[in-house]
């Protein structure tokens, strides 16, 4: 019987949709239905274990799953609060669900830098990461542990400041709070334990990771096509972000214009297009790249 690689994923929440989308872009075919704990991938020997994100590091560590996708913030927190060393490490950074774990307070609290936290109360759902930060900075403060709605703690009078995840900053602003220190930067990561996988599972994981790498790279990579005056090709090429030598093709019926095509491995901003136009480039097209393998 073929061994099936098991991947732990968040069932529902901020990580779930992007995790499913990433795996689908890697060619995995599956459907998430109802309350099932396991989803079977139809076209590869892979099963998806659908759980709460907080459980993912320990499931990977305890062999309930071979790998998992989880926020780095959750991984680090679970590692810090685990009684025994948690056997789950980052294998690959995935570049989505980016956020920061920040300390924040209101203007009226008088807390504007982490040095002001001495002797105060800080509300958080991250006692592990916050505790480590305070210890490293030699600050004696009281942690008020909450399960959620941390941003409300100052207004209900149970803490002077908070330590919580921030992405757009809208939640802090709506609660009259300002971030004054970032204690952890996070993104979704692939986690794995130190256990050796069987050769079949390892080969499948290597294949999956090559595809993930291709998906991440192609998301940042664009194909650019434009027409340019011959004497400006060098200056135009110099403006293209992260590109190799472009392909230059003569244009029918034109002696001084050529068509230029290049793969750019970095984002092309509107400003770059405006600069290209100023150099004489015309009919500029920027196209997404669906798949890449180098
Ligand atoms: O049910 P389960 O336990 O699986 O999910 P959960 O409720 O614990 O987590 P969920 O789905 O809210 O978040 C999953 C992961 O998404 C987190 O562990 C982070 O890695 C990542 N992530 C990215 C975020 C945010 N951005 C985020 N903004 N997680 C939470 N937030 C919250 C934050 O706590 C605050 O309440 O959003 C609010 C702030 O957002 P802004 O945009 O207003 O700054
Ligand atoms: Zn959670």
């Amino acid at each position: 019987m073929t061994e099936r690689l098991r991947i732990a994923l968040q069932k529902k929440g901020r990580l779930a949709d992007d995790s499913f989308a990433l795996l689908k872009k890697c060619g995995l075919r599956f459907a998430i239905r109802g309350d099932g704990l396991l989803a079977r991938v139809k076209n590869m020997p892979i099963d998806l274990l659908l759980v709460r994100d907080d459980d993912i590091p320990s499931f990977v560590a305890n062999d309930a799953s071979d790998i998992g996708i989880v926020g780095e913030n959750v991984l680090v927190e679970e590692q810090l609060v685990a009684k025994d060393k948690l056997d789950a490490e980052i294998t690959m950074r995935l570049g989505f669900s980016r956020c920061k774990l920040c300390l924040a307070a209101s203007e009226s609290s008088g807390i504007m830098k982490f040095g002001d936290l001495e002797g105060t109360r800080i509300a958080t759902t991250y006692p592990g990461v916050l505790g480590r930060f305070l210890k490293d900075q030699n600050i004696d403060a009281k942690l008020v542990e909450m399960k959620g709605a941390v941003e409300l703690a100052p207004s209900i009078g149970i803490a002077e400041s908070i330590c919580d995840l921030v992405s757009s900053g809208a939640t802090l602003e709506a609660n009259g709070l300002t971030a004054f220190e970032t204690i952890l930067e996070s993104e979704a990561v692939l986690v794995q334990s130190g256990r050796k996988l069987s050769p079949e599972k390892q080969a499948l994981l290597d294949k999956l990771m090559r595809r993930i790498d291709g998906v991440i790279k192609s998301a940042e990579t664009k194909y650019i096509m434009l027409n340019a005056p011959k004497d400006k090709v060098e200056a135009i090429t110099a403006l293209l972000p992260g590109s190799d030598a472009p392909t230059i093709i003569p244009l029918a019926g034109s002696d001084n214009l050529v068509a230029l095509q290049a793969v750019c491995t970095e984002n092309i901003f509107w400003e770059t297009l405006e600069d290209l136009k100023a150099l004489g480039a015309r009919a500029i097209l920027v196209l997404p790249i669906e798949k890449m393998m180098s």
Side-chain angles (χ1 to χ4, degrees), residues 218-224 262-264 266-268 286-289:
S218 66
E220 290 160 3
T221 304
K222 298 281 178 281
Y223 198 75
I224 188 162
V263 173
C264 295
E266 291 160 35
N267 228 331
I268 302 173
V286 179
L287 310 172
I289 288 180

Side-chain angles (χ1 to χ4, degrees), residues 16-55:
D17 289 347
D18 286 345
S19 304
F20 299 148
L22 174 67
L23 296 180
K24 288 198 165 157
K25 282 187 197 150
C26 289
L28 278 67
R29 283 177 31 222
F30 56 90
I32 307 292
R33 283 199 200 90
D35 276 341
L37 183 68
L38 268 186
R40 222 175 153 83
V41 174
K42 291 176 195 130
N43 57 336
M44 284 179 167
I46 298 177
D47 286 332
L48 309 179
L49 182 67
L50 306 167
V51 292
R52 290 199 63 173
D53 64 348
D54 318 71
D55 291 331

Side-chain angles (χ1 to χ4, degrees), residues 76-77 80-81 101-104 114 117 121-137 139 141-145 150 161-164 180-181 183-184:
V76 177
E77 179 65 19
L80 288 169
V81 298
L101 188 61
C102 294
L103 285 161
F114 65 78
L117 293 169
R121 299 164 301 171
I122 314 166
T124 192
T125 50
Y126 289 86
V129 184
L130 178 58
R132 179 179 69 175
F133 176 80
L134 295 174
K135 194 162 164 248
D136 287 351
Q137 303 300 334
I139 293 168
K142 185 170 182 289
L143 297 197
V144 178
E145 213 178 314
V150 173
S161 66
I162 69 163
C163 173
D164 198 14
F180 55 86
E181 183 74 27
I183 67 170
L184 185 81

Side-chain angles (χ1 to χ4, degrees), residues 84-102:
D84 304 313
K85 191 184 171 326
L86 199 67
D87 183 12
E89 300 293 336
I90 297 176
T91 316
M92 196 173 185
R93 300 188 162 274
L94 301 175
F96 62 86
S97 277
R98 287 183 194 276
C99 55
K100 293 174 177 181
L101 188 61
C102 294

Side-chain angles (χ1 to χ4, degrees), residues 3-11 15-16 18-30 32 36-53 55-61 63-70 91-92 94 96 188-193 195 197 201-212:
E3 278 192 274
R4 300 182 72 82
L5 184 78
R6 193 177 274 190
I7 311 176
L9 301 172
Q10 187 190 34
K11 184 177 180 61
L15 275 175
D18 286 345
S19 304
F20 299 148
L22 174 67
L23 296 180
K24 288 198 165 157
K25 282 187 197 150
C26 289
L28 278 67
R29 283 177 31 222
F30 56 90
I32 307 292
L37 183 68
L38 268 186
R40 222 175 153 83
V41 174
K42 291 176 195 130
N43 57 336
M44 284 179 167
I46 298 177
D47 286 332
L48 309 179
L49 182 67
L50 306 167
V51 292
R52 290 199 63 173
D53 64 348
D55 291 331
I56 293 174
S58 63
F59 281 176
V60 168
D63 211 10
S65 186
D66 298 306
I67 56 169
I69 294 180
V70 71
T91 316
M92 196 173 185
L94 301 175
F96 62 86
V189 290
L190 197 71
V191 287
Q192 197 184 349
S193 79
R195 278 185 316 277
L197 292 177
K201 279 190 181 179
Q202 188 59 52
L204 188 56
L205 177 57
D206 290 345
K207 180 170 165 159
L208 180 65
M209 288 190 359
R210 270 195 305 275
R211 290 189 184 184
I212 292 177

